Amino acid sequence: MKGKDFLSVADLEAEEVSAMVQAAQKMKSGDSPRPLEGKVLALLFEKPSLRTRVSFEVGIRQLGGECVYLSKEDIGLGTREPESDIAGVLDRWVDGIVARVFSHRSLQILAERASIPVVNALSDLEHPCQAMGDLLTIHEQKGRLDGIKVAFVGDGNNIAASLGLGCASVGANFTIATPKDYQVRTVAWEEAGKRAARSESRLEWVEDPRDAVRDADVVYTDVWVSMGDESEREERLRAFAGYQVDEELFARAKGDAVFMHDMPAHRGEEVSEGMLEHPRSVVFDQAENRLHAQKAILAALFAE
Ligand code: NVA
């Protein structure tokens, strides 16, 4: 991984995904390497962020480095200046770029132009750092990943794509329930299919959330209207009616299943009022684990 980019879970070989989860566990249990000593990373965010921004800023400091935060207004990615010029300039000053963008293509251009590592902090297609933190959370909760069933209910979005790819890499089964027109249809899903075949795990789409959660060890949901999809809000609320994860749906999963959500959550839409506070909700563990997982990723990219 040293010196490479991390734009997709697919940038890690399947075996590297499991190794990264173990590295994240070590970070969490107090391993404190300082591979970023003397290094500065640019955090380039086109969209709002709480978890990702804070966990990256804290993680970079804990690894001995520093960072500069640049908002949409500061840089105007692709509007004030093309991505390639921004990458060319940052390349001369900083040691890495962590970017949250509207279009995945922007990340690819940054990565093509910059010689330093570029990390995807969420794009329209993937959120690989979230998926790595989530695999750590599932491993902590279930003691293993191989053979675990994860049921994702809602929109076939960036979170679903990265998590499906992550699960397929480590031999976890991934069933997604979405309305017909909201399936994951990206290259990430194709790659997930190939990885699932190799790990002999199941990767499947179903239309009915009740079919998805049957025998599930994990029930996962995410917002119906992702950042950038706001103009489709009304249409999406209509399409996703019936896909809310509530106590009744959750009760159809295994008796010891856990509930996950990457947050921010919209109570009353994809999730009922009480689910985040449910005794088997692990949403705050998930948020914490972003830190450990991202530190493991950065430590691999900036290995001495
Ligand atoms: N699918 C959501 C995830 C937010 C962390 C979005 O892209 O807005």
Side-chain angles (χ1 to χ4, degrees):
M1 276 300 272
K2 185 173 158 50
K4 293 199 179 148
D5 302 305
F6 185 59
L7 305 191
S8 161
V9 175
D11 288 332
L12 294 174
E13 298 296 334
E15 315 71 64
E16 290 177 317
V17 174
S18 303
M20 194 65 84
V21 175
Q22 280 172 21
Q25 251 152 1
K26 278 180 72 182
M27 287 287 177
K28 188 167 184 174
S29 53
D31 207 18
S32 50
R34 293 178 66 84
L36 296 184
E37 201 82 65
K39 299 204 188 310
V40 181
L41 273 68
L43 301 188
L44 203 154
F45 277 55
E46 278 194 294
K47 303 178 186 178
S49 171
L50 169 66
R51 278 150 292 274
T52 305
R53 177 177 173 183
V54 177
S55 57
F56 264 110
E57 290 208 16
V58 170
I60 289 166
R61 288 192 184 114
Q62 289 179 354
L63 294 172
E66 293 180 56
C67 55
V68 182
Y69 177 81
L70 299 160
S71 72
K72 184 173 168 24
E73 287 67 37
D74 294 320
I75 38 152
L77 198 75
T79 52
R80 181 169 175 266
E81 265 188 294
E83 288 89 344
S84 54
D85 289 353
I86 293 171
V89 170
L90 289 176
D91 206 39
R92 300 293 175 105
W93 295 321
V94 299
D95 302 282
I97 301 173
V98 174
R100 166 167 287 194
V101 298
F102 281 100
S103 164
H104 195 78
R105 184 69 200 129
S106 298
L107 280 177
Q108 289 168 331
I109 299 172
L110 291 174
E112 279 158 20
R113 178 64 181 82
S115 62
I116 51 178
V118 176
V119 176
N120 181 356
L122 182 146
S123 73
D124 53 342
L125 299 187
E126 274 209 57
H127 196 3
C129 295
Q130 178 73 50
M132 297 310 299
D134 292 342
L135 291 179
L136 171 60
T137 307
I138 297 170
H139 193 278
E140 274 176 356
Q141 292 295 327
K142 298 290 157 193
R144 65 194 170 101
L145 292 169
D146 191 46
I148 290 297
K149 176 177 176 182
V150 176
F152 186 101
V153 176
D155 185 19
N157 61 15
N158 44 7
I159 299 287
S162 292
L163 189 62
L165 197 41
C167 286
S169 306
V170 299
N173 302 304
F174 186 80
T175 302
I176 183 167
T178 73
K180 272 201 182 68
D181 293 338
Y182 293 89
Q183 298 176 47
V184 197
R185 295 187 195 277
T186 55
V187 283
W189 191 253
E190 283 169 35
E191 175 62 21
K194 291 181 198 156
R195 290 189 179 202
R198 286 201 292 273
S199 66
E200 296 181 1
S201 57
R202 213 171 46 244
L203 180 83
E204 61 176 358
W205 170 79
V206 295
E207 196 169 7
D208 189 335
R210 287 168 301 190
D211 293 335
V213 303
R214 190 176 308 123
D215 297 324
D217 298 287
V218 175
V219 176
Y220 198 122
T221 191
D222 180 33
V223 291
W224 293 339
V225 185
S226 283
M227 293 179 275
D229 291 338
E230 291 81 1
S231 64
E232 299 170 12
R233 183 172 166 78
E234 294 313 315
E235 189 184 325
R236 284 175 167 268
L237 293 190
R238 275 195 301 278
F240 289 107
Y243 283 81
Q244 184 183 84
V245 175
D246 59 13
E247 288 75 356
E248 195 261 307
L249 183 70
F250 185 63
R252 293 171 177 265
K254 276 191 185 160
D256 62 352
V258 293
F259 169 70
M260 295 178 72
H261 192 310
D262 51 288
M263 303 169 98
H266 294 160
R267 290 172 175 81
E269 291 183 17
E270 79 279 0
V271 63
S272 64
E273 282 296 329
M275 268 322 290
L276 277 97
E277 288 74 31
H278 191 286
R280 290 207 304 281
S281 159
V282 295
V283 298
F284 294 101
D285 296 298
Q286 272 182 274
E288 179 190 334
N289 286 339
R290 294 291 305 281
L291 172 70
H292 311 301
Q294 286 159 195
K295 282 172 71 182
I297 293 161
L298 292 174
L301 297 177
F302 292 93
E304 271 141 321

mmCIF file of all heavy atoms in Angstrom, residues 83 101-112 123-125:
data_model
loop_
_atom_site.group_PDB
_atom_site.id
_atom_site.type_symbol
_atom_site.label_atom_id
_atom_site.label_comp_id
_atom_site.label_asym_id
_atom_site.label_seq_id
_atom_site.Cartn_x
_atom_site.Cartn_y
_atom_site.Cartn_z
ATOM 1 N N GLU A 83 -9.276 20.140 -11.275
ATOM 2 C CA GLU A 83 -8.720 19.215 -10.290
ATOM 3 C C GLU A 83 -7.233 18.978 -10.527
ATOM 4 O O GLU A 83 -6.446 18.868 -9.589
ATOM 5 C CB GLU A 83 -9.431 17.860 -10.342
ATOM 6 C CG GLU A 83 -10.842 17.850 -9.808
ATOM 7 C CD GLU A 83 -11.881 18.169 -10.870
ATOM 8 O OE1 GLU A 83 -11.517 18.692 -11.941
ATOM 9 O OE2 GLU A 83 -13.071 17.899 -10.612
ATOM 10 N N VAL A 101 -15.589 14.328 -2.203
ATOM 11 C CA VAL A 101 -15.986 14.991 -3.450
ATOM 12 C C VAL A 101 -17.396 14.583 -3.900
ATOM 13 O O VAL A 101 -17.914 13.538 -3.493
ATOM 14 C CB VAL A 101 -14.999 14.617 -4.587
ATOM 15 C CG1 VAL A 101 -13.582 15.092 -4.268
ATOM 16 C CG2 VAL A 101 -14.991 13.113 -4.842
ATOM 17 N N PHE A 102 -17.970 15.402 -4.771
ATOM 18 C CA PHE A 102 -19.258 15.032 -5.360
ATOM 19 C C PHE A 102 -19.058 13.920 -6.379
ATOM 20 O O PHE A 102 -19.742 12.909 -6.346
ATOM 21 C CB PHE A 102 -19.927 16.252 -6.002
ATOM 22 C CG PHE A 102 -20.586 17.122 -4.980
ATOM 23 C CD1 PHE A 102 -19.971 18.277 -4.523
ATOM 24 C CD2 PHE A 102 -21.808 16.753 -4.435
ATOM 25 C CE1 PHE A 102 -20.565 19.050 -3.547
ATOM 26 C CE2 PHE A 102 -22.409 17.522 -3.464
ATOM 27 C CZ PHE A 102 -21.786 18.674 -3.013
ATOM 28 N N SER A 103 -18.095 14.119 -7.263
ATOM 29 C CA SER A 103 -17.915 13.138 -8.338
ATOM 30 C C SER A 103 -16.652 12.303 -8.114
ATOM 31 O O SER A 103 -15.554 12.852 -7.932
ATOM 32 C CB SER A 103 -17.827 13.883 -9.675
ATOM 33 O OG SER A 103 -17.300 13.019 -10.649
ATOM 34 N N HIS A 104 -16.817 11.005 -8.183
ATOM 35 C CA HIS A 104 -15.675 10.099 -8.021
ATOM 36 C C HIS A 104 -14.574 10.417 -9.033
ATOM 37 O O HIS A 104 -13.394 10.216 -8.766
ATOM 38 C CB HIS A 104 -16.165 8.654 -8.196
ATOM 39 C CG HIS A 104 -15.192 7.634 -7.711
ATOM 40 N ND1 HIS A 104 -15.033 7.331 -6.369
ATOM 41 C CD2 HIS A 104 -14.301 6.859 -8.387
ATOM 42 C CE1 HIS A 104 -14.101 6.397 -6.240
ATOM 43 N NE2 HIS A 104 -13.630 6.094 -7.447
ATOM 44 N N ARG A 105 -14.990 10.930 -10.186
ATOM 45 C CA ARG A 105 -14.035 11.282 -11.234
ATOM 46 C C ARG A 105 -13.023 12.318 -10.731
ATOM 47 O O ARG A 105 -11.848 12.267 -11.091
ATOM 48 C CB ARG A 105 -14.805 11.798 -12.468
ATOM 49 C CG ARG A 105 -13.955 12.108 -13.661
ATOM 50 C CD ARG A 105 -13.350 10.861 -14.326
ATOM 51 N NE ARG A 105 -12.201 11.219 -15.151
ATOM 52 C CZ ARG A 105 -10.995 10.651 -15.109
ATOM 53 N NH1 ARG A 105 -10.744 9.666 -14.287
ATOM 54 N NH2 ARG A 105 -10.016 11.054 -15.884
ATOM 55 N N SER A 106 -13.496 13.243 -9.885
ATOM 56 C CA SER A 106 -12.573 14.247 -9.328
ATOM 57 C C SER A 106 -11.436 13.568 -8.572
ATOM 58 O O SER A 106 -10.280 13.973 -8.674
ATOM 59 C CB SER A 106 -13.306 15.190 -8.367
ATOM 60 O OG SER A 106 -14.306 15.895 -9.029
ATOM 61 N N LEU A 107 -11.776 12.546 -7.818
ATOM 62 C CA LEU A 107 -10.756 11.812 -7.050
ATOM 63 C C LEU A 107 -9.757 11.150 -7.989
ATOM 64 O O LEU A 107 -8.553 11.153 -7.735
ATOM 65 C CB LEU A 107 -11.413 10.685 -6.241
ATOM 66 C CG LEU A 107 -12.095 11.013 -4.946
ATOM 67 C CD1 LEU A 107 -12.720 9.745 -4.394
ATOM 68 C CD2 LEU A 107 -11.110 11.592 -3.945
ATOM 69 N N GLN A 108 -10.301 10.572 -9.060
ATOM 70 C CA GLN A 108 -9.414 9.877 -10.007
ATOM 71 C C GLN A 108 -8.445 10.867 -10.644
ATOM 72 O O GLN A 108 -7.265 10.564 -10.804
ATOM 73 C CB GLN A 108 -10.245 9.157 -11.078
ATOM 74 C CG GLN A 108 -10.983 7.954 -10.506
ATOM 75 C CD GLN A 108 -12.019 7.402 -11.467
ATOM 76 O OE1 GLN A 108 -12.586 8.129 -12.278
ATOM 77 N NE2 GLN A 108 -12.282 6.107 -11.373
ATOM 78 N N ILE A 109 -8.945 12.068 -10.961
ATOM 79 C CA ILE A 109 -8.050 13.068 -11.570
ATOM 80 C C ILE A 109 -6.987 13.500 -10.560
ATOM 81 O O ILE A 109 -5.797 13.579 -10.890
ATOM 82 C CB ILE A 109 -8.840 14.296 -12.088
ATOM 83 C CG1 ILE A 109 -9.845 13.859 -13.154
ATOM 84 C CG2 ILE A 109 -7.899 15.362 -12.650
ATOM 85 C CD1 ILE A 109 -10.822 14.946 -13.600
ATOM 86 N N LEU A 110 -7.414 13.737 -9.314
ATOM 87 C CA LEU A 110 -6.436 14.112 -8.284
ATOM 88 C C LEU A 110 -5.367 13.029 -8.166
ATOM 89 O O LEU A 110 -4.173 13.313 -8.118
ATOM 90 C CB LEU A 110 -7.131 14.283 -6.919
ATOM 91 C CG LEU A 110 -8.073 15.475 -6.731
ATOM 92 C CD1 LEU A 110 -8.773 15.378 -5.383
ATOM 93 C CD2 LEU A 110 -7.304 16.798 -6.818
ATOM 94 N N ALA A 111 -5.821 11.777 -8.142
ATOM 95 C CA ALA A 111 -4.889 10.662 -7.960
ATOM 96 C C ALA A 111 -3.959 10.500 -9.168
ATOM 97 O O ALA A 111 -2.780 10.202 -9.015
ATOM 98 C CB ALA A 111 -5.664 9.374 -7.712
ATOM 99 N N GLU A 112 -4.509 10.736 -10.364
ATOM 100 C CA GLU A 112 -3.671 10.601 -11.570
ATOM 101 C C GLU A 112 -2.596 11.682 -11.594
ATOM 102 O O GLU A 112 -1.460 11.430 -11.956
ATOM 103 C CB GLU A 112 -4.543 10.755 -12.841
ATOM 104 C CG GLU A 112 -5.286 9.478 -13.203
ATOM 105 C CD GLU A 112 -6.504 9.755 -14.087
ATOM 106 O OE1 GLU A 112 -6.582 10.828 -14.733
ATOM 107 O OE2 GLU A 112 -7.407 8.883 -14.112
ATOM 108 N N SER A 123 -17.164 9.687 -1.877
ATOM 109 C CA SER A 123 -17.536 10.213 -3.192
ATOM 110 C C SER A 123 -18.948 9.716 -3.470
ATOM 111 O O SER A 123 -19.534 8.994 -2.652
ATOM 112 C CB SER A 123 -16.575 9.695 -4.270
ATOM 113 O OG SER A 123 -16.814 8.321 -4.531
ATOM 114 N N ASP A 124 -19.479 10.070 -4.639
ATOM 115 C CA ASP A 124 -20.814 9.571 -4.988
ATOM 116 C C ASP A 124 -20.817 8.042 -5.129
ATOM 117 O O ASP A 124 -21.853 7.407 -4.955
ATOM 118 C CB ASP A 124 -21.312 10.238 -6.283
ATOM 119 C CG ASP A 124 -20.316 10.114 -7.440
ATOM 120 O OD1 ASP A 124 -19.117 9.835 -7.183
ATOM 121 O OD2 ASP A 124 -20.727 10.298 -8.598
ATOM 122 N N LEU A 125 -19.681 7.446 -5.433
ATOM 123 C CA LEU A 125 -19.651 5.999 -5.687
ATOM 124 C C LEU A 125 -19.217 5.151 -4.507
ATOM 125 O O LEU A 125 -19.630 3.990 -4.401
ATOM 126 C CB LEU A 125 -18.715 5.692 -6.875
ATOM 127 C CG LEU A 125 -19.078 6.317 -8.210
ATOM 128 C CD1 LEU A 125 -18.162 5.764 -9.294
ATOM 129 C CD2 LEU A 125 -20.529 6.043 -8.576
#
